[in-house]
Amino acid sequence: MSKLKYHQIFTNLTTLALLHLYSHMDMSVRFVPIKKRNELLVKFLKKQMGLPCNAIIKKDIKVLIAQARKGNNIEKKLGELHKVNCQYGEKFTDADHLFILLTYLYEEHGFESTLDNPDIERESGVIYTDNELIDTSFNEQHILTKPLPLFIMMDEPSRLVDIINGHGGMFVVEHLSTSLDDRCATLLLHKLPTPEN
């Protein structure tokens, strides 16, 4: 899954870099020449290079900075890379998107996720599902064909529901029930319908 993580981080970088440039250009009353655009992007990329979240793409950032210093049109290069990343992202399966969601929940909100094991007691704040549920919810092409049950022990499962539903990904979740005995909430993960082309 490291390719998936790399893709996420690099797509984020190209998006932010271009937004940074275009915001500056929009505020400027004068035309911004290529040289000035490269300078703005180099300054932005240098700041991005030091961020821990960009460690996996640090070499790529250095290459972009070096190309900009040689006078190459880095805006054009970023646009091309962004387009390639978007095309690559279109090949993701629903299972890939679920991995992205679970990674986000862990990295941004501290929710671990794991496969349920009947021999081990569930821990509070950990999202569980099991292989059988995954096998019946996903088809052979790794597409979610029916809602996937998730389980978590926590006092306010509505908080997790709000986080997932506010994520902006391809899934939404509903809270089905909570056991009074162990506070284990049952959530149902649904795939959002895709707009027709």
Side-chain angles (χ1 to χ4, degrees):
M1 288 292 184
S2 60
K3 282 186 178 179
L4 190 60
K5 185 71 176 168
Y6 174 88
H7 166 77
Q8 282 182 279
I9 294 170
F10 203 78
T11 300
N12 190 49
L13 175 79
T14 58
T15 302
L16 290 176
L18 291 170
L19 283 173
H20 174 76
L21 174 64
Y22 297 145
S23 295
H24 178 82
M25 289 170 59
D26 189 51
M27 291 187 304
S28 177
V29 292
R30 302 172 67 184
F31 175 75
V32 181
I34 300 292
K35 186 176 178 183
K36 178 65 175 170
R37 292 178 195 197
N38 278 353
E39 289 171 7
L40 290 166
L41 287 169
V42 165
K43 189 174 178 183
F44 175 82
L45 291 171
K46 278 184 175 179
K47 289 179 184 175
Q48 294 297 308
M49 195 165 49
L51 298 177
C53 63
N54 289 333
I56 194 171
I57 60 168
K58 192 172 185 175
K59 289 181 183 176
D60 300 291
I61 296 172
K62 285 181 179 180
V63 169
L64 287 167
I65 291 171
Q67 288 182 357
R69 288 185 174 150
K70 289 180 182 174
N72 295 332
N73 185 341
I74 202 70
E75 174 191 1
K76 182 179 177 186
K77 185 67 175 172
L78 283 166
E80 291 167 356
L81 291 169
H82 186 71
K83 183 178 178 182
V84 168
N85 273 337
C86 289
Q87 289 169 343
Y88 177 73
E90 290 170 4
K91 297 176 185 173
F92 287 175
T93 65
D94 294 354
D96 293 326
H97 284 283
L98 178 58
F99 174 79
I100 291 168
L101 173 63
L102 294 174
T103 301
Y104 164 77
L105 290 173
Y106 176 69
E107 290 179 351
E108 299 296 323
H109 300 281
F111 289 102
E112 291 183 44
S113 55
T114 189
L115 291 175
D116 215 352
N117 183 341
D119 300 329
I120 299 174
E121 189 175 326
R122 288 179 177 169
E123 295 179 37
S124 180
V126 178
I127 301 166
Y128 293 92
T129 193
D130 65 48
N131 276 326
E132 187 177 327
L133 292 171
I134 291 170
D135 290 343
T136 58
S137 296
F138 286 90
N139 67 16
E140 291 178 6
Q141 291 77 37
H142 307 289
I143 303 300
L144 187 68
T145 56
K146 64 183 233 181
L148 175 66
L150 302 172
F151 310 96
I152 187 165
M153 292 170 48
M154 65 184 296
D155 290 329
E156 295 180 34
S158 60
R159 185 169 79 88
L160 179 58
V161 170
D162 290 344
I163 291 169
I164 293 173
N165 291 345
H167 176 246
M170 69 178 302
F171 301 110
V172 291
V173 71
E174 66 175 309
H175 179 199
L176 290 183
S177 63
T178 299
S179 167
L180 296 176
D181 297 333
D182 59 5
R183 301 178 302 119
C184 186
T186 301
L187 309 176
L188 206 52
L189 188 77
H190 298 272
K191 179 180 173 179
L192 287 170
T194 54
E196 297 298 322
N197 294 333

